[in-house]
Amino acid sequence: MPLQLKEDMIAKLIEESLFKYQALFDSNMIGIASTDFQDRILKANDAFLAMIGYTREDLENGKLRWSTITPKQYDDADAQKITELSQHKRIVPFEKEYIHKDGHTVPVLVGAELLDEALSVGVCFALDISELKELEQKKDDFIGTVSHELKTPLSVMKLYSDFLRNSIEQGASKEEMIESAREISAQVDKLSILITDLLNMARYQTSEPQFALSAINLLECAKEVVNELSLVSERSIVFQGERAVYVTGNQARLSQVITNLVNNACKYSAPGTDIIVRVHKDDKNGYVQVQDFGKGISPENQEKIFERYYRIDHANDYDDEGAGIGLYISYEIVKRHGGRLSVESDLGKGSTFTVSIPLA
Ligand code: ADP
């Protein structure tokens, strides 16, 4: 068959066949590209081009070829997939990577369908799964962190319980024994907070937890938390607020949020600096603000800290770090109250977290 005729037939076939996928093609929800299995990308939608950072001009100038966007290590797997395509007329979606125009790799889920065997033309569907992969990575890191967070208190408890046994056997002073018991109790508290967070996280992921809501006074709720934490913390937690602020909420869950914010403020600021808890209202919302004068959070991290598993690497500035789920849970609780949890922060100066809940 003359080359030009074949080219025209391929073009017509692609036009006709892509008509089948037109809605999908135009929706740009998924990257779609057609191929002649000769390294050429014949047609591609905007989503496909955006995924790999190329322009339509690049495509039309022939700059965009499968070999340009495919990392070498996928050559064998791709050859196998093309055989699968000619045998079964389709490729079951599989994971691979493309090379973005700027050089970074993009994890994708790719499937394909053979449009015409004789003309050897196919259409390929590609979904960018970067976010999914990132989440998987964060999950792996999270499991590592949680294992560490669970193991450390257990090791400390073991140490102090051995110490306590020796103290009893050797008739040590009552003070020494009380100190060991106190340390064991503090580690149990740490474990209990972590396990509660883990259970809460599982609940928030799988269902809409139902809160029993009633009119509560945010001022009293925050004051109680401050009083309780002041008893166990060496930090000065200053409470500001006078007028009652009634919101419709769940007292236990909102206490949990405020406790988490104050604990974070203590964890991520230097000993000796104040923590301020402020309660006020305007005509729509009640507010609880927790301010610290600590490390602060960079603007790019401010956007991410409410995500599940997200933690900032403070490069060992603070040794009492957590598992990256406290703010996620707090955010979800406040959201389910119809409110908002936000942060303002200056690196090196400190952070202010604000809970806003619609007034009752
Ligand atoms: P973690 O258990 O790791 O503290 P969170 O979900 O409570 O998890 O917080 C997520 C991350 O946000 C923390 O790892 C920490 O780096 C950062 N962060 C939270 N609160 C503060 C704060 N007050 N100041 C600075 N960084 C904070």
Side-chain angles (χ1 to χ4, degrees):
M1 186 188 308
L3 192 62
Q4 186 55 46
L5 180 62
K6 187 178 173 195
E7 288 286 309
D8 291 348
M9 283 175 72
I10 290 177
K12 188 159 179 286
L13 174 74
I14 288 172
E15 279 307 322
E16 281 171 10
S17 307
L18 285 187
F19 185 69
K20 205 167 115 190
Y21 304 111
Q22 198 64 47
L24 203 57
F25 197 86
D26 293 342
S27 74
N28 280 318
M29 273 165 49
I30 189 166
I32 304 179
S34 54
T35 174
D36 62 356
F37 304 106
Q38 300 297 317
D39 200 24
R40 282 195 303 170
I41 297 175
L42 304 167
K43 210 170 170 198
N45 70 347
D46 292 342
F48 188 85
L49 295 172
M51 193 183 301
I52 47 178
Y54 283 84
T55 61
R56 195 149 291 287
E57 222 178 1
D58 294 331
L59 175 72
E60 280 156 13
N61 293 343
K63 266 194 201 164
L64 186 54
R65 303 189 81 86
W66 292 109
S67 54
T68 328
I69 61 164
T70 305
K72 277 272 158 285
Q73 70 264 32
Y74 290 98
D75 284 354
D76 290 348
D78 277 2
Q80 230 176 353
K81 292 289 169 189
I82 290 173
T83 313
E84 183 185 324
L85 186 63
S86 57
Q87 283 170 353
H88 306 290
K89 299 201 168 8
R90 60 193 293 264
I91 297 176
V92 179
F94 67 106
E95 286 185 15
K96 61 174 282 183
E97 287 168 317
Y98 286 148
I99 305 169
H100 191 275
K101 197 176 178 183
D102 71 11
H104 79 272
T105 50
V106 183
V108 282
L109 184 71
V110 177
E113 216 176 284
L114 192 64
L115 293 180
D116 187 283
E117 208 166 350
L119 290 171
S120 185
V121 177
V123 63
C124 155
F125 305 93
L127 193 66
D128 183 345
I129 51 169
S130 307
E131 274 181 27
L132 203 70
K133 288 280 156 194
E134 231 171 80
L135 192 64
E136 259 176 34
Q137 182 59 47
K138 275 198 235 162
K139 230 176 199 173
D140 289 348
D141 295 347
F142 169 74
I143 290 169
T145 313
V146 166
S147 313
H148 174 81
E149 293 284 313
L150 288 171
K151 207 157 179 271
T152 310
L154 282 178
S155 313
V156 179
M157 275 160 73
K158 170 86 178 103
L159 202 80
Y160 276 99
S161 53
D162 286 349
F163 189 68
L164 186 59
R165 201 191 56 219
N166 282 341
S167 306
I168 294 168
E169 280 170 3
Q170 290 163 14
S173 73
K174 202 171 158 191
E175 281 70 33
E176 271 181 285
M177 291 193 244
I178 290 174
E179 180 53 30
S180 298
R182 194 176 287 137
E183 210 31 73
I184 292 170
S185 167
Q187 298 303 323
V188 170
D189 287 346
K190 266 193 179 179
L191 277 180
S192 143
I193 290 171
L194 181 63
I195 291 166
T196 309
D197 274 358
L198 289 172
L199 290 174
N200 275 333
M201 190 183 64
R203 279 175 57 208
Y204 288 114
Q205 273 177 265
T206 51
S207 62
E208 285 271 312
Q210 298 297 317
F211 300 144
L213 299 174
S214 58
I216 60 160
N217 184 352
L218 215 45
L219 184 95
E220 286 307 321
C221 178
K223 205 187 271 178
E224 246 172 54
V225 171
V226 170
N227 289 342
E228 272 169 25
L229 293 180
S230 295
L231 286 178
V232 292
S233 168
E234 283 157 15
R235 305 294 296 275
S236 145
I237 309 169
V238 181
F239 184 79
Q240 296 177 348
E242 280 150 23
R243 283 193 300 162
V245 175
Y246 282 97
V247 296
T248 307
N250 181 292
Q251 173 109 10
R253 294 283 81 85
L254 290 177
S255 294
Q256 182 187 348
V257 171
I258 302 165
T259 304
N260 183 28
L261 295 178
V262 177
N263 277 335
N264 273 355
C266 296
K267 267 198 303 190
Y268 301 110
S269 63
T273 56
D274 277 357
I275 312 288
I276 301 173
V277 177
R278 206 175 285 119
V279 179
H280 57 103
K281 65 174 176 176
D282 58 20
D283 51 352
K284 284 203 184 95
N285 298 306
Y287 301 92
V288 181
Q289 291 188 300
V290 179
Q291 181 174 16
D292 66 65
F293 302 90
K295 179 101 181 154
I297 304 163
S298 69
E300 59 272 24
N301 278 324
Q302 286 174 35
E303 285 175 17
K304 296 183 182 158
I305 49 171
F306 301 108
E307 289 171 13
R308 228 179 328 155
Y309 315 134
Y310 193 80
R311 305 186 62 238
I312 306 167
D313 185 5
H314 286 289
N316 294 332
D317 278 356
Y318 304 97
D319 54 25
D320 196 11
E321 295 189 64
I325 49 176
L327 283 182
Y328 163 75
I329 293 169
S330 301
Y331 187 88
E332 290 296 319
I333 291 176
V334 175
K335 197 168 88 184
R336 283 162 168 77
H337 279 79
R340 200 165 162 257
L341 173 60
S342 58
V343 64
E344 280 172 65
S345 184
D346 268 334
L347 260 186
K349 291 191 178 152
S351 312
T352 302
F353 283 82
T354 303
V355 177
S356 74
I357 308 273
L359 292 177

